Amino acid sequence: MHLLLVIGCCIFNRKHNLAIFLKSGALWMCIVLNPHCKLEQKSSWLKQLKKWNSVDVCPWEDGNHGNELPNLTNALPQGANANQDSSNRPHRTVFTRAIEACDLHWQDSHLQHIISSDLYTNYCYHDDTENLLFDSQGWPLWHEHVPTACARVDALRSHGYPREALRLAIAIVNTLRRQQQKQLEMFRAQKKDLLHRGVISITNLEGWVGHPLDPIGTLFGSLMEACRVDDDSFHGFSDFTENLGQCKSLEYQHLPAHKFLEEGDSYLTLAVEVALIGLGQQRIMPDGLYAQEKVCRNEEQLISKLQEIELDDTLVKIFRKQAVFLIEGGPYSGLGEVIHRESVPMHTFAKYLFTSLLPHDAELAYKTALRAMRLLVLESTAPSGDLSRPHHIASVVPNRYPRWFTLSHIESQQCELASTMLTAAKGDVRRLETVLESIQKNIHSSSHIFKLAQDAFKIATLMDSLPDITLLKVSLELGLQVMRMTLSTLNWRRREMVRWLVTCATEVGVYALDSIMQNWFTLFTPTEATSIVATTVMSNSTIVRLHLDCHQQEKLAGSARTLALQCAMKDPQNCALSALTLCEKDHIAFETAYQIVLDAATAGMSYSQLFTIARYMEHRGYPMRAYKLATLAMTHLNLSYNQDTHPAINDVLWACALSHSLGKNELAAIIPLVVKSVKCATVLSDILRRCTLTTPGMVGLHGRRNSGKLMSLDKAPLRQLLDATIGAYINTTHSRLTHISPRHYSEFIEFLSKARETFLMAHDGHIQFTQFIDNLKQIYKGKKKLMMLVRERFG
């Protein structure tokens, strides 16, 4: 008690975790439900709980904000206040349920008979009311709000009444089983009309798995504790010890109880069945990150406990029975034919059901798992539902946009369920096709579909057996879907996906590769199609892998060339070079690709792209075509006076060298373009120097040798280049002097020295340079120190 007071007081300290507060709330509910606590003690606790509850920093139960559920804790046949006005309803804090539980009592005579005796039965059964006290077997039922009823079980166990707790737990489970049967019968009677009208309803806004009071976990734990073969666990269970037999300690056994259970039932079957009922319940996804994480966490914890139990024939019957109930159970089941779009998904639970049922009833296993694949919250066309049926629940706001904080985890679980089915269906064509259809219909995440495609590929190509061609085709189909989904959206894994798809198609066969190339525009960007797809398909490794004959190779190459030309037309900037490369061995296709480049060169292609293609042309032995592209590239280039380290400089020098090697006419044609495009003096002087060192076109066209004379600097085209270079030095000098600082003086003097070398190449260059220096000294006489350095060097 002292510890609980400390925990309660911690609401003033925000450092403590919300989970601690929620546990303390559940513990307080256990305390106030003590069947033998005194009224004055309960009154004292209620006063303290209300005090904590009123503090501003008292955490809300869902960890985010107060929900708008009705007062379900007190929705009892004991005269509780269940219909209060929702607009005046306070937010639910971690202590609200304990406060509400202070109104509960144990004086109900039916409840007292249930917990007091194993012999409490009544065989006068009339199936005409919902809240019968006994079922058709004569065993007692308890119709209280399930989380509240289970809180009573927890309180009985906590306060030292294990036998009473077990009796009440059995009555609750019997009630749930009867309700499940009645709900199924009611839905079957109304199914045709409901489906015709498109009515979508749900029976639980507040699910039992993930609930703050953990009702299913309480029932499961109580029943499992009763079937543990451990004497220490059975204090107070002397009625049942005669049935233990010779068993190993601490193992779960089918321990029959001679009261309250149907024939063939045991605590173990009851525990398993109530867990399956709770996990399969259709319920709305709660608000708030913490509440949603709790749903996932509790579901996984319960399934983990179930996995510890070895299934025998008796338990398999329970699984079959519950799977059928869940599939046919309408709005009461998360696996019903039509569910609300904000229902908690069943992927994790269905994966467990699938693996459990598969060895015993494969048809039912697949039916269950395929039904569970839905994720309606991501479907824009999914109806939000009609929750107005009075015998179900109060309605929720039907059109609120759901805030599913755990959506990424949910999608991962959906993917895991699909992967489990794919693995199990290997070798079964019909089932693989059915699973593929379900994946394509229900999974909306490209990354998860890609993972499934990869999983299917790995399973299909295991080293110890021949490839499963059907599963390979499933893998390819999923890969193609990923390509279509991500074609027009940014995805950082896109390049990896494209490469993988080609690998998968290669494994399927040559017809698959041919198909993806013929339909490239629905799957790939032009760049991907040429630089990755066609290039990989035409590689030697692919040819060898496929064991293609000459005819097949040529057919594949023809598809690759067609693809390349289509891509070059659509995106010449990024695909022209790849198209030329792919079309090298076919003269007509190569000429077509070259013409596409020429047509695109005047509009849209950059100088760098054109230079790259021009260099490729020269390398492949087409110097005149390379020259043509180089001249087109020059028309797009503009190098200013201070861009002496620009990356295009090497391309300009290469283009001029190419022109020079072709002959005087080609050099004469490109120099005006250079003069127009390049204003950088050092680049121009470099070109000029190179042109004066060798004779143009030493081996001209058609192998004819030219005269071998060096070109004159006094005549075109070099005179034009020389004048442009001198002019560039003059303009650059004035530009540099405008904002020059003393630390750059020595560098500037060296620049003038290089300028003088160019001036002196002209026949009157000495005179021009002298005049140039004199002009500088006159114009910039204010820069005395700099001009003194100029006089020292140049006079």
Side-chain angles (χ1 to χ4, degrees):
M1 180 57 62
H2 176 70
L3 176 61
L4 283 173
L5 287 168
V6 171
I7 293 174
C9 292
C10 284
I11 60 173
F12 296 103
N13 187 344
R14 289 183 179 265
K15 293 181 181 178
H16 286 264
N17 192 291
L18 177 63
I20 297 175
F21 294 133
L22 288 171
K23 287 177 182 176
S24 71
L27 285 171
W28 271 108
M29 190 156 182
C30 255
I31 291 170
V32 301
L33 278 175
N34 183 344
H36 293 294
C37 84
K38 297 177 181 178
L39 286 176
E40 56 268 25
Q41 195 172 25
K42 185 181 286 189
S43 176
S44 173
W45 289 338
L46 178 60
K47 183 178 179 181
Q48 181 64 63
L49 288 168
K50 286 183 174 179
K51 181 179 178 182
W52 288 334
N53 195 63
S54 64
V55 176
D56 290 340
V57 295
C58 184
W60 291 338
E61 186 179 76
D62 66 359
N64 186 44
H65 53 78
N67 52 40
E68 293 301 321
L69 295 177
N71 185 334
L72 293 177
T73 303
N74 285 345
L76 310 170
Q78 299 181 6
N81 178 21
N83 298 311
Q84 57 179 318
D85 181 6
S86 63
S87 62
N88 297 322
R89 193 181 306 133
H91 291 310
R92 174 167 287 160
T93 75
V94 293
F95 297 116
T96 301
R97 293 181 191 273
I99 292 170
E100 293 171 350
C102 289
D103 292 334
L104 300 176
H105 57 77
W106 294 86
Q107 279 70 52
D108 184 275
S109 59
H110 183 57
L111 176 60
Q112 284 295 318
H113 281 109
I114 289 174
I115 65 177
S116 301
S117 173
D118 293 333
L119 304 174
Y120 182 48
T121 57
N122 187 326
Y123 297 97
C124 299
Y125 179 77
H126 302 285
D127 194 8
D128 54 357
T129 63
E130 275 195 21
N131 296 318
L132 287 174
L133 299 182
F134 300 89
D135 65 12
S136 59
Q137 304 294 316
W139 310 132
L141 304 174
W142 181 244
H143 290 280
E144 191 172 29
H145 173 239
V146 172
T148 306
C150 294
R152 290 184 186 274
V153 174
D154 197 21
L156 287 168
R157 292 173 69 196
S158 301
H159 291 286
Y161 304 100
R163 184 190 304 183
E164 288 81 357
L166 183 61
R167 289 169 179 150
L168 181 56
I170 293 170
I172 294 169
V173 176
N174 280 336
T175 307
L176 293 179
R177 294 202 296 188
R178 179 182 179 275
Q179 286 177 346
Q180 189 183 51
Q181 181 64 46
K182 293 299 177 186
Q183 288 166 350
L184 178 60
E185 292 170 3
M186 182 172 67
F187 176 68
R188 282 173 174 168
Q190 300 174 339
K191 179 177 178 179
K192 188 174 180 180
D193 178 55
L194 290 175
L195 295 181
H196 175 72
R197 291 191 290 121
V199 175
I200 299 166
S201 53
I202 191 169
T203 56
N204 291 281
L205 287 179
E206 190 177 51
W208 299 332
V209 173
H211 191 281
L213 299 178
D214 192 20
I216 298 298
T218 298
L219 293 175
F220 181 81
S222 299
L223 292 161
M224 292 302 290
E225 186 179 274
C227 61
R228 276 270 202 186
V229 185
D230 176 14
D231 291 342
D232 293 338
S233 300
F234 279 88
H235 52 283
F237 288 94
S238 57
D239 297 31
F240 311 127
T241 55
E242 62 191 24
N243 298 306
L244 292 182
Q246 299 298 315
C247 303
K248 292 182 180 178
S249 181
L250 294 178
E251 289 184 357
Y252 298 122
Q253 302 291 331
H254 287 290
L255 300 180
H258 60 280
K259 298 299 176 187
F260 294 1
L261 298 180
E262 293 183 9
E263 185 177 352
D265 272 338
S266 66
Y267 299 131
L268 183 58
T269 60
L270 223 58
V272 169
E273 186 157 22
V274 78
L276 298 181
I277 291 173
L279 288 166
Q281 176 197 41
Q282 186 185 182
R283 65 266 192 192
I284 283 287
M285 179 67 79
D287 287 330
L289 172 60
Y290 180 85
Q292 291 178 18
E293 286 180 340
K294 187 173 176 63
V295 167
C296 296
R297 188 166 57 250
N298 280 76
E299 179 183 45
E300 289 166 1
Q301 289 169 346
L302 190 52
I303 290 173
S304 178
K305 291 175 183 176
L306 285 170
Q307 287 170 332
E308 296 174 3
I309 302 169
E310 186 176 346
L311 300 188
D312 56 18
D313 291 344
T314 304
L315 292 177
V316 168
K317 288 179 183 177
I318 299 292
F319 271 76
R320 277 201 177 104
K321 169 189 167 185
Q322 282 302 319
V324 171
F325 267 129
L326 291 170
I327 288 170
E328 299 182 3
Y332 307 93
S333 164
L335 292 173
E337 189 170 344
V338 181
I339 58 170
H340 192 275
R341 74 186 298 257
E342 292 184 42
S343 295
V344 173
M346 295 282 113
H347 309 130
T348 308
F349 176 44
K351 180 185 171 185
Y352 169 67
L353 276 182
F354 178 79
T355 54
S356 300
L357 284 169
L358 190 63
H360 311 285
D361 191 338
E363 195 67 34
L364 183 58
Y366 276 99
K367 190 173 183 179
T368 304
L370 289 166
R371 177 68 66 81
M373 278 289 289
R374 301 170 295 192
L375 188 49
L376 298 184
V377 75
L378 294 182
E379 295 181 13
S380 57
T381 57
S384 57
D386 174 10
L387 308 183
S388 60
R389 297 175 68 193
H391 62 277
H392 284 180
I393 53 168
S395 64
V396 294
V397 182
N399 294 318
R400 73 175 178 88
Y401 185 77
R403 299 180 66 203
W404 285 35
F405 299 99
T406 55
L407 189 58
S408 61
H409 173 75
I410 289 167
E411 287 188 282
S412 296
Q413 292 301 303
Q414 183 190 35
C415 181
E416 285 297 313
L417 173 60
S419 182
T420 303
M421 284 194 285
L422 281 176
T423 304
K426 182 178 180 180
D428 189 323
V429 176
R430 180 179 66 86
R431 293 211 193 282
L432 282 174
E433 289 176 350
T434 305
V435 175
L436 173 62
E437 289 174 8
S438 179
I439 292 169
Q440 292 175 323
K441 177 183 177 182
N442 294 301
I443 297 185
H444 303 276
S445 162
S446 59
S447 61
H448 286 121
I449 296 177
F450 183 50
K451 180 187 180 301
L452 289 170
Q454 291 176 304
D455 288 350
F457 184 81
K458 289 174 186 175
I459 300 163
T461 56
L462 291 174
M463 296 300 291
D464 59 347
S465 61
L466 291 173
D468 185 313
I469 191 62
T470 306
L471 196 50
L472 271 178
K473 289 179 179 177
V474 168
S475 177
L476 181 62
E477 279 299 315
L478 293 174
L480 294 173
Q481 184 178 350
V482 173
M483 291 297 100
R484 289 187 287 266
M485 289 174 74
T486 59
L487 178 59
S488 57
T489 58
L490 294 175
N491 190 306
W492 65 274
R493 298 186 68 189
R494 175 76 184 178
R495 191 172 184 84
E496 174 198 354
M497 291 170 171
V498 174
R499 289 189 182 281
W500 178 88
L501 184 76
V502 177
T503 302
C504 182
T506 303
E507 202 66 33
V508 173
V510 64
Y511 69 92
L513 290 174
D514 193 52
S515 176
I516 66 171
M517 287 198 294
Q518 289 188 25
N519 298 287
W520 71 267
F521 47 88
T522 65
L523 305 169
F524 315 108
T525 65
T527 306
E528 291 168 345
T530 53
S531 65
I532 302 177
V533 180
T535 304
T536 306
V537 170
M538 296 310 299
S539 66
N540 288 332
S541 60
T542 303
I543 302 299
V544 171
R545 177 76 182 85
L546 291 170
H547 308 292
L548 302 182
D549 58 32
C550 292
H551 176 73
Q552 290 173 320
Q553 287 185 41
E554 183 49 39
K555 187 175 186 301
L556 209 56
S559 295
R561 287 191 291 268
T562 301
L563 172 151
L565 293 175
Q566 290 172 344
C567 292
M569 286 288 291
K570 194 172 182 68
D571 185 4
Q573 294 93 331
N574 297 308
C575 300
L577 183 57
S578 295
L580 287 165
T581 306
L582 289 164
C583 295
E584 275 181 354
K585 294 181 180 179
D586 186 282
H587 177 71
I588 295 175
F590 188 82
E591 288 295 326
T592 305
Y594 177 66
Q595 191 58 50
I596 290 171
V597 175
L598 291 180
D599 293 342
T602 55
M605 293 192 76
S606 68
Y607 63 82
S608 61
Q609 291 165 336
L610 290 169
F611 274 132
T612 300
I613 298 171
R615 284 177 179 266
Y616 158 81
M617 281 289 186
E618 185 199 30
H619 179 68
R620 300 309 296 168
Y622 297 101
M624 285 305 297
R625 287 177 174 171
Y627 167 76
K628 174 69 173 174
L629 291 171
T631 58
L632 290 170
M634 289 299 299
T635 62
H636 294 285
L637 181 64
N638 184 20
L639 283 180
S640 63
Y641 77 93
N642 60 349
Q643 291 183 295
D644 51 0
T645 59
H646 195 280
I649 291 173
N650 284 333
D651 288 322
V652 174
L653 294 175
W654 168 82
C656 291
L658 173 65
S659 304
H660 193 275
S661 69
L662 290 173
K664 182 177 179 180
N665 291 338
E666 286 75 19
L667 183 61
I670 203 168
I671 281 178
L673 298 177
V674 172
V675 169
K676 183 178 180 182
S677 302
V678 180
K679 306 303 178 187
C680 183
T682 54
V683 176
L684 290 171
S685 62
D686 196 4
I687 296 170
L688 183 62
R689 181 180 57 80
R690 296 182 187 207
C691 288
T692 58
L693 292 178
T694 57
T695 304
M698 286 300 291
V699 179
L701 296 177
H702 313 296
R704 293 179 301 173
R705 289 190 173 273
N706 63 15
S707 60
K709 293 181 180 179
L710 292 172
M711 296 177 69
S712 171
L713 288 170
D714 292 331
K715 298 178 181 178
L718 292 190
R719 179 68 204 194
Q720 183 183 5
L721 181 58
L722 175 59
D723 290 343
T725 307
I726 291 172
Y729 271 115
I730 293 171
N731 291 334
T732 303
T733 298
H734 287 296
S735 296
R736 293 184 67 167
L737 284 172
T738 304
H739 301 293
I740 196 167
S741 63
R743 69 175 182 274
H744 293 131
Y745 284 177
S746 60
E747 181 187 324
F748 177 73
I749 296 300
E750 292 304 317
F751 174 77
L752 285 182
S753 297
K754 291 181 179 179
R756 180 169 60 180
E757 293 174 7
T758 301
F759 271 83
L760 294 179
M761 294 176 76
H763 74 279
D764 58 349
H766 181 74
I767 298 172
Q768 286 189 56
F769 187 71
T770 301
Q771 290 175 345
F772 173 52
I773 294 297
D774 289 342
N775 284 338
L776 291 182
K777 289 187 285 188
Q778 181 63 34
I779 296 171
Y780 301 101
K781 59 186 176 182
K783 299 181 184 294
K784 293 181 181 180
K785 185 175 180 180
L786 178 58
M787 291 305 109
M788 181 184 71
L789 294 172
V790 170
R791 287 191 192 92
E792 287 178 358
R793 176 68 70 89
F794 305 109

